[in-house]
Amino acid sequence: MAVDLSRTFKPIQIAVLTVSDTRGPEDDTSGDILAERVTGAGHSLAARNIVRDDVPTIVGQLEAWIADPSVDAVVITGGTGLTGRDVTPEALDRVKERDIPGFGELFRWISYKTIGTSTIQSRACAVLSRGTYIFALPGSNGAVKDGWDGILAEQLDSRNRPCNFVELMPRLREI
């Protein structure tokens, strides 16, 4: 990470969403990992929820957080696979204004180092909606670690150079 320690860290408000038909609060380990990393990095956990793999349900939760001025970013775990129940990317298609294609590309490159060609089964993606970043990661513990540690920890750190997502936030509503 190219962190410039002479710059001021600016914490942001991040919501964590787990998409799963089988996990509950007692066994949401990937959501736990994300929540711990969000707060461990110095950000605020704005909200956390678990919803089932259902496009209208996911869209409803995302719309609520997008409309909430206290949520700057959402990190989703789950629903990015290839099966019929994996519908997170389809939900993001309904709320997005812009894609952030490099996120999914970089995630699969990082994940390749861990799980090899199995990474091709991931539809990890990111979008921007009304000034809110939304990042969708697979539901495995390893995937959320790869996504946070390899991408989001740096891009959500305002001190990261040469650029980062945080410094763009004041201008995101120019769309």
Side-chain angles (χ1 to χ4, degrees):
M1 184 163 31
V3 170
D4 180 350
L5 296 176
S6 70
R7 297 177 53 92
T8 302
F9 177 76
K10 298 175 187 170
I12 64 170
Q13 305 285 324
I14 302 172
V16 171
L17 180 63
T18 299
V19 175
S20 177
D21 288 334
T22 59
R23 291 186 189 172
E26 67 285 345
D27 62 353
D28 180 19
T29 55
S30 59
D32 291 340
I33 290 167
L34 282 173
E36 290 167 6
R37 279 174 162 66
V38 164
T39 58
H43 300 293
S44 295
L45 184 63
R48 184 171 171 190
N49 200 6
I50 301 171
V51 298
R52 59 190 169 89
D53 291 284
D54 173 73
V55 171
T57 303
I58 299 166
V59 168
Q61 180 62 80
L62 291 175
E63 288 287 356
W65 285 341
I66 291 164
D68 184 343
S70 70
V71 175
D72 298 314
V74 177
V75 183
I76 303 171
T77 174
T80 62
L82 298 173
T83 72
R85 296 295 302 152
D86 293 317
V87 295
T88 298
E90 287 74 19
L92 268 61
D93 282 343
R94 295 204 183 164
V95 300
K96 74 179 181 184
E97 291 176 340
R98 291 195 173 173
D99 287 306
I100 306 171
F103 178 82
E105 296 162 0
L106 182 55
F107 172 81
R108 283 180 283 282
W109 179 75
I110 291 167
S111 179
Y112 178 78
K113 297 174 184 179
T114 307
I115 64 170
T117 59
S118 295
T119 194
I120 202 161
Q121 295 180 30
S122 167
R123 296 186 301 147
C125 56
V127 301
L128 181 61
S129 181
R130 297 189 309 260
T132 302
Y133 291 113
I134 306 171
F135 307 98
L137 296 167
S140 73
N141 293 348
V144 297
K145 290 175 185 175
D146 285 348
W148 182 270
D149 299 346
I151 306 170
L152 295 175
E154 293 182 16
Q155 280 298 299
L156 296 177
D157 188 326
S158 58
R159 303 167 299 175
N160 192 63
R161 295 274 141 249
C163 56
N164 60 76
F165 285 136
V166 177
E167 65 189 1
L168 297 176
M169 290 172 58
R171 297 178 41 219
L172 291 179
R173 296 186 188 274
E174 293 174 351
I175 298 172

